[in-house]
Amino acid sequence: MEFLSAIHSKNKKLIVGLMSGTSLDGVDAALVEIEGYGKQTKVNLLGFETVAFTENEKNEILQLCNPETSSVDKICHMNVELGKKFSAAALHVISKAGKKPGDIDLISSHGQTIYHMPQVGATLQIGELAVISANTGCVTVGDFRPNDMAVGGQGAPLVPFVDYLLFHHRSIGRILLNVGGMSNITVIPTNSKEENILAFDTGPGNVLIDAIVTIGTNGNESFDSGGKYAQMGTVDTQWLQKLVDSDSFVHEAPPKSTGREYYTSDVARNLWLEGRARGLSFESIIATVTQFTVETIALNIEQCLKNEVDISEVLVGGGGVHNTFIMNALQKRLKQNVLSMEAINVSSDAKEAVAFAILGNEFIHGNTNNLPSATGAKRKTMMGKLVLP
């Protein structure tokens, strides 16, 4: 265990953070230099790459997310295959940054969520850590969520712990909004303490939009690039209100988390069929469903700010930041300034992968790294599991 002590004793570490979300775009890999830990954490992004999933890989993962098409043998096989994919992403970003695997102190992987059941304290992320460690020769940390769930938490969202470390401010109140497959927010009031942070999933991000684009283009496209289709359509306001009113998750009180188990492919197909039955064009269905994502975010933010929390800006990351319709609609819908993460010199695309590098750094230092005010856990705990090469 001497080399673990050697890693721990370093003030500056080279860490690769790996992340794959519900959008299933691919594996995000961020190589960062991390100095210190806790509130003294300083991060320097040295490289970021996304290794895209093939259509076959994406379809296989989607099958695993559906109990009707999943099976134990498929999960077992894909666990290893994703371990290889995550390894390749790590090696790719290391090489592109001009480094070698031997230079890396730690790899920290979120894995790929295939099923999340917070109501019974269960979750499953795959992408075998032992494969990542063996293929890269690096100490590897991952599988963070179960530790939080074991002490009564929902195992999500996990990034708000890092949001607080990096973005709390003495004079500026902020909301960190991530629009990935799902959307989640971290509310950081001015000069706040950790226990004052509120964070949770608000509902869908791109998941329903992507699925309907796939249906409407017969599989030729899998997402609304830049929001081009939404901008060509017209929002059906009556249908929009119906969608908002009928979505029980949107109106739940936090802590709460969600995923493809709730916003399923069947939900997307039913939305498509309902939109067509209402006589809407492809573009207007996309516009309405995209506005639904915006409304679910806005309603949850407004509910949070009822107690006159001083928030002046909403900083947006994740794939949704590239959707012009979403960004413009959020600015129209919210009172606060809506900005991309780049406004504070942070990569919108790399943010979540960087966050898992930081969670791994806290683990190596033996620190707790969950946020009970976000997950609902009974207490602080150290999340993660360690694999040695």
Side-chain angles (χ1 to χ4, degrees):
M1 292 294 187
E2 290 184 4
F3 63 97
L4 280 180
S5 298
I7 296 171
H8 180 279
S9 64
K10 286 185 176 181
N11 187 45
K12 292 184 179 181
K13 303 176 185 64
L14 291 181
I15 301 178
V16 175
L18 298 174
M19 171 69 191
S20 178
T22 50
S23 290
L24 298 178
D25 301 320
V27 180
D28 291 338
L31 173 59
V32 295
E33 179 186 68
I34 298 181
E35 179 179 355
Y37 56 89
K39 289 186 179 180
Q40 284 70 50
T41 300
K42 295 180 181 178
V43 181
N44 180 21
L45 180 63
L46 303 180
F48 175 73
E49 301 289 334
T50 298
V51 177
F53 287 128
T54 65
E55 279 303 309
N56 185 55
E57 288 170 334
K58 184 174 181 177
N59 288 334
E60 287 185 17
I61 295 169
L62 283 172
Q63 287 182 15
L64 299 184
C65 296
N66 184 344
E68 295 181 2
T69 55
S70 183
S71 63
V72 174
D73 59 325
K74 289 180 181 178
I75 293 171
C76 189
H77 179 255
M78 185 54 72
N79 182 43
V80 174
E81 292 305 306
L82 282 180
K84 295 175 183 177
K85 189 82 174 186
F86 277 70
S87 304
L91 292 171
H92 183 54
V93 75
I94 291 167
S95 176
K96 291 281 284 187
K99 303 291 183 181
K100 298 178 180 178
D103 300 324
I104 305 305
D105 295 301
L106 181 71
I107 292 176
S108 182
S109 176
H110 169 266
Q112 176 65 61
T113 301
I114 60 170
Y115 217 73
H116 185 62
M117 299 187 294
Q119 67 277 11
V120 295
T123 190
L124 183 59
Q125 286 72 45
I126 61 174
E128 181 54 54
L129 300 176
V131 173
I132 298 173
S133 183
N135 286 1
T136 61
C138 298
V139 176
T140 301
V141 174
D143 202 15
F144 293 96
R145 296 185 188 275
N147 295 67
D148 180 81
M149 300 182 93
V151 293
Q154 297 216 355
L158 300 185
V159 173
F161 172 86
V162 177
D163 287 341
Y164 174 69
L165 289 187
L166 298 185
F167 306 119
H168 71 280
H169 199 282
R170 289 184 178 181
S171 58
I172 300 174
R174 292 167 164 162
I175 288 178
L176 280 295
L177 165 63
N178 181 70
V179 185
M182 305 301 152
S183 295
N184 53 73
I185 59 173
T186 305
V187 183
I188 310 177
T190 302
N191 199 29
S192 56
K193 297 180 179 180
E194 190 172 302
E195 57 268 24
N196 304 135
I197 305 305
L198 184 62
F200 55 90
D201 289 350
T202 61
N206 300 306
V207 63
L208 296 177
I209 304 166
D210 293 350
I212 293 172
V213 168
T214 302
I215 294 168
T217 63
N218 295 313
N220 291 319
E221 296 180 63
S222 59
F223 68 102
D224 186 11
S225 179
K228 61 182 179 181
Y229 290 127
Q231 292 177 79
M232 293 165 60
T234 301
V235 174
D236 183 328
T237 55
Q238 287 186 331
W239 187 31
L240 173 64
Q241 190 61 53
K242 177 185 174 183
L243 295 179
V244 172
D245 291 343
S246 62
D247 190 311
S248 61
F249 179 81
V250 172
H251 303 286
E252 282 183 22
K256 58 180 180 175
S257 57
T258 190
R260 287 184 179 275
E261 307 76 31
Y262 186 85
Y263 296 103
T264 64
S265 57
D266 286 342
V267 170
R269 179 160 292 281
N270 288 337
L271 287 173
W272 168 257
L273 294 174
E274 186 174 356
R276 296 299 287 170
R278 296 176 74 92
L280 299 182
S281 66
F282 165 67
E283 292 83 2
S284 291
I285 294 173
I286 296 298
T288 304
V289 173
T290 305
Q291 187 67 41
F292 173 59
T293 283
V294 171
E295 286 297 313
T296 59
I297 293 168
L299 285 171
N300 276 279
I301 288 177
E302 289 170 350
Q303 188 65 30
C304 284
L305 303 185
K306 274 187 175 181
N307 296 327
E308 299 182 2
V309 177
D310 180 21
I311 299 295
S312 59
E313 59 188 23
V314 177
L315 298 168
V316 187
V321 77
H322 303 296
N323 187 312
T324 303
F325 184 100
I326 287 177
M327 292 298 285
N328 289 342
L330 281 170
Q331 187 58 83
K332 290 177 182 177
R333 187 66 178 75
L334 297 172
K335 298 177 182 178
Q336 296 77 20
N337 290 326
V338 177
L339 307 165
S340 72
M341 294 300 303
E342 279 72 16
I344 55 171
N345 298 314
V346 174
S347 168
S348 297
D349 294 323
K351 178 178 174 284
E352 289 218 319
V354 170
F356 281 93
I358 294 171
L359 289 174
N361 183 56
E362 294 299 309
F363 175 93
I364 285 295
H365 280 279
N367 296 332
T368 58
N369 53 2
N370 69 327
L371 191 64
S373 63
T375 66
K378 296 175 183 176
R379 59 178 173 84
K380 296 280 290 178
T381 189
M382 186 170 68
M383 301 184 299
K385 298 172 184 176
L386 177 70
V387 176
L388 305 180

